[in-house]
Amino acid sequence: KFVRRNKLMLSLTTAAVLVIVGSLSAGLYVANRERKIAEHRFLQVRQLANKYIELDNDIRGFSGSTKVRSQIVADSLQYLTSLGSEAHMDKNLENEIALAYIRVAHVQGDPTSPNLGQFAEAEESLNKGEKFLNSVLATDPRNHDALLYSTTIAHDRMVLAYTQGRGADGLFWADKTIERMERFVSLGNPTPVENYSTTYG
């Protein structure tokens, strides 16, 4: 009797439930698709960084390799710029992009290893990497990877400044290095960062 009396109401309720279920299913599909895209981008930038470092290590000792290394740097920076615009607050991807910028900076102008002598460009790459790390640390101040990479950037900028005779800048970045290292150490004994030792051993 209830069904007969409330047939219209039940039909509308059923339709509403179906619409809600359909919307939820569509939302889950989109979320899952975006997660897979983010994971794919993460793997892309990691593979780029790994292959780039391996190739650079292989050719840096050869005569006439400067032009090739410069082209690799230019191509890598172009790719990172494109990828960075799509990071969308993805912490893992932002950390990975920052690490790639550090690696590029080391080839551009790391005074402690064979480099291209592009010191200003190296500092700019470190700057770009730091922006991604700042984004991560703004929402997750105890992020292990971001703190480690941030400490590396401060150290690299300190070395660059001292090498170029900019003592005041060097002292500033030395203080930053200590401050960031203390924050990193305060995390205790976290699991070593995967993919970091291949660059910094």
Side-chain angles (χ1 to χ4, degrees):
K1 289 181 181 179
F2 176 82
V3 171
R4 280 199 300 270
R5 290 176 190 158
N6 299 280
K7 192 172 182 180
L8 179 59
M9 183 185 73
L10 286 171
S11 296
L12 291 173
T13 302
T14 302
V17 168
L18 289 173
V19 168
I20 292 170
V21 169
S23 298
L24 288 173
S25 297
L28 288 172
Y29 171 78
V30 170
N32 190 50
R33 183 171 175 274
E34 289 180 352
R35 178 183 59 78
K36 286 182 177 178
I37 290 172
E39 288 174 354
H40 179 65
R41 287 173 179 156
F42 175 87
L43 289 173
Q44 278 183 316
V45 72
R46 172 164 286 185
Q47 288 168 357
L48 167 77
N50 287 339
K51 288 178 181 177
Y52 168 72
I53 291 301
E54 288 171 12
L55 180 58
D56 184 72
N57 287 338
D58 288 342
I59 69 172
R60 67 170 57 176
F62 291 110
S63 172
S65 64
T66 301
K67 185 176 180 180
V68 177
R69 295 179 77 200
S70 296
Q71 187 59 54
I72 293 171
V73 165
D75 291 345
S76 297
L77 288 174
Q78 185 176 10
Y79 177 76
L80 289 172
T81 299
S82 173
L83 188 65
S85 65
E86 302 174 18
H88 300 308
M89 300 295 289
D90 182 319
K91 292 178 189 175
N92 290 333
L93 183 56
E94 287 183 308
N95 280 336
E96 203 69 18
I97 291 172
L99 178 58
Y101 271 118
I102 292 171
R103 288 172 153 173
V104 169
H106 279 205
V107 177
Q108 288 174 311
D110 176 13
T112 65
S113 64
N115 63 78
L116 297 172
Q118 301 172 351
F119 301 118
E121 290 85 348
E123 194 140 11
E124 179 61 25
S125 291
L126 293 172
N127 241 349
K128 290 177 179 177
E130 187 156 34
K131 287 178 182 176
F132 286 99
L133 299 176
N134 288 342
S135 172
V136 174
L137 293 170
T139 57
D140 185 6
R142 293 177 60 82
N143 187 285
H144 174 222
D145 291 11
L147 281 172
L148 178 59
Y149 300 159
S150 181
T151 302
T152 301
I153 286 177
H155 171 268
D156 290 351
R157 296 189 74 171
M158 175 192 73
V159 173
L160 277 170
Y162 279 129
T163 301
Q164 297 174 75
R166 293 183 285 118
D169 285 346
L171 186 59
F172 172 83
W173 287 110
D175 289 340
K176 286 288 183 185
T177 302
I178 294 169
E179 172 196 322
R180 293 174 188 183
M181 178 58 74
E182 287 175 346
R183 286 175 61 193
F184 176 74
V185 171
S186 73
L187 298 177
N189 188 26
T191 304
V193 179
E194 183 187 355
N195 205 39
Y196 188 80
S197 60
T198 55
T199 306
Y200 304 106

